[in-house]
Amino acid sequence: MKPLVYFFFSLLLAAAEANAQAFILKDTPFGRVGEEHNIDPLLLYSISLHVSSRYVGNGLITPSPFAIRSPALTKHFDTKEGAEAALLTLRAMAFEQGDAR
């Protein structure tokens, strides 16, 4: 009985290890920047998810490349141009209120 339990436990561990290694960031911006600066790409990806995650459906999230974040909210944009326009608007509003830094 014990050899059979050990066998199934070994199979379970092997499957878990294979799944953990399936998430590779080597040829992504996270992988390239991580390698260049000697930072774990998974750490960079995790931080990116934390500060800019965006729901993409089916229970999945992804880092948003065009997110503007404040203490009050996070706003996502579909394009770089949209994010830049919003930043210019926010900056103009801050100047009007005397809060530009």
Side-chain angles (χ1 to χ4, degrees):
M1 180 72 172
K2 278 189 177 183
L4 187 59
V5 170
Y6 290 134
F7 172 74
F8 283 115
F9 186 68
S10 298
L11 283 178
L12 187 63
L13 284 176
E17 184 177 326
N19 286 336
Q21 293 177 358
F23 190 75
I24 298 172
L25 296 166
K26 183 177 181 182
D27 293 324
T28 68
F30 303 101
R32 290 188 291 275
V33 170
E35 185 176 316
E36 183 179 327
H37 296 282
N38 198 27
I39 301 172
D40 183 353
L42 190 55
L43 176 63
L44 295 174
Y45 185 81
S46 300
I47 292 169
S48 182
L49 272 180
H50 178 73
V51 299
S52 73
S53 62
R54 183 178 202 174
Y55 181 72
V56 293
N58 295 327
L60 302 174
I61 59 172
T62 185
S64 177
F66 309 116
I68 297 175
R69 189 174 161 99
S70 76
L73 64 99
T74 300
K75 178 79 173 147
H76 300 277
F77 299 89
D78 293 326
T79 65
K80 181 179 177 183
E81 293 77 19
E84 287 173 342
L87 278 175
L88 290 173
T89 301
L90 289 172
R91 187 170 185 208
M93 289 170 52
F95 273 114
E96 289 175 7
Q97 297 173 2
D99 191 29
R101 296 180 191 161

